[in-house]
Amino acid sequence: MLSSHWQPMADVNRLRNELDRLFGQVSGGNGNSRRGTFPLMNLWEDDNSLYLEAELPGFEMDDLEIYVTGGNQLSISGERKQPEHEAGAWHRQERGFGKFRRTLELPGDVDSEKVSANFRNGVLTLTMPKSEAAKPRRIEVKAD
């Protein structure tokens, strides 16, 4: 028997899933959408470099493609394969799978020839030296 009782949270979840799908959030092939943007990233800088950390548990470095283009565009893409289980039934599947691409506009130009990447314990760390033109320069003031 169908219930005519209104379930507002079911409607909210349906709307959130549709918005995630519409705006290109990572979603699993099983129709479950990940909440938020993947991967989660931290970006900071000092006088010489920009640094980025991205959480990528379950990935190998070979699963990732990293590009710096135009001096200030960073793109990270990859694919997490759907887990295969020969026997048994899923009870919960919250970890997303499938392809992702994340592109950021960096706050300044970097020297793409000197960018280095380290991947340890599921965290990708990029060190992106600033281009000479983007580095702060002290201006000497002369008095007459």
Side-chain angles (χ1 to χ4, degrees):
M1 178 175 172
L2 294 175
S3 170
S4 63
H5 180 69
W6 180 48
Q7 298 177 338
M9 287 312 294
D11 289 342
V12 168
N13 286 334
R14 228 181 342 269
L15 176 62
R16 184 181 356 219
N17 287 338
E18 282 301 308
L19 288 173
D20 284 350
R21 185 185 61 74
L22 178 66
F23 290 107
Q25 301 298 320
V26 174
S27 65
N30 61 0
N32 291 334
S33 295
R34 287 182 54 95
R35 303 286 186 254
T37 303
F38 182 83
L40 297 175
M41 297 181 177
N42 292 333
L43 177 66
W44 72 98
E45 70 179 301
D46 61 21
D47 288 342
N48 297 311
S49 298
L50 296 170
Y51 304 92
L52 180 125
E53 289 177 337
E55 294 180 359
L56 293 160
F59 282 84
E60 299 291 332
M61 199 62 191
D62 292 342
D63 296 333
L64 303 171
E65 291 185 0
I66 305 163
Y67 295 99
V68 175
T69 57
N72 72 338
Q73 296 288 319
L74 172 68
S75 176
I76 299 175
S77 61
E79 182 174 9
R80 182 180 304 178
K81 308 283 190 276
Q82 181 176 2
E84 294 182 24
H85 298 285
E86 294 181 20
W90 287 103
H91 291 282
R92 181 175 300 271
Q93 190 174 14
E94 294 178 353
R95 293 185 67 200
F97 56 87
K99 293 181 180 182
F100 75 91
R101 174 176 298 265
R102 184 109 193 253
T103 302
L104 299 175
E105 183 172 337
L106 300 171
D109 288 350
V110 298
D111 185 344
S112 62
E113 297 295 321
K114 296 181 181 175
V115 173
S116 63
N118 183 26
F119 194 59
R120 184 173 180 195
N121 297 327
V123 177
L124 173 68
T125 303
L126 299 178
T127 301
M128 301 171 283
K130 293 179 182 178
S131 69
E132 288 301 317
K135 288 183 181 177
R137 298 180 196 261
R138 183 165 191 243
I139 307 299
E140 187 176 328
V141 178
K142 297 179 183 178
D144 289 332

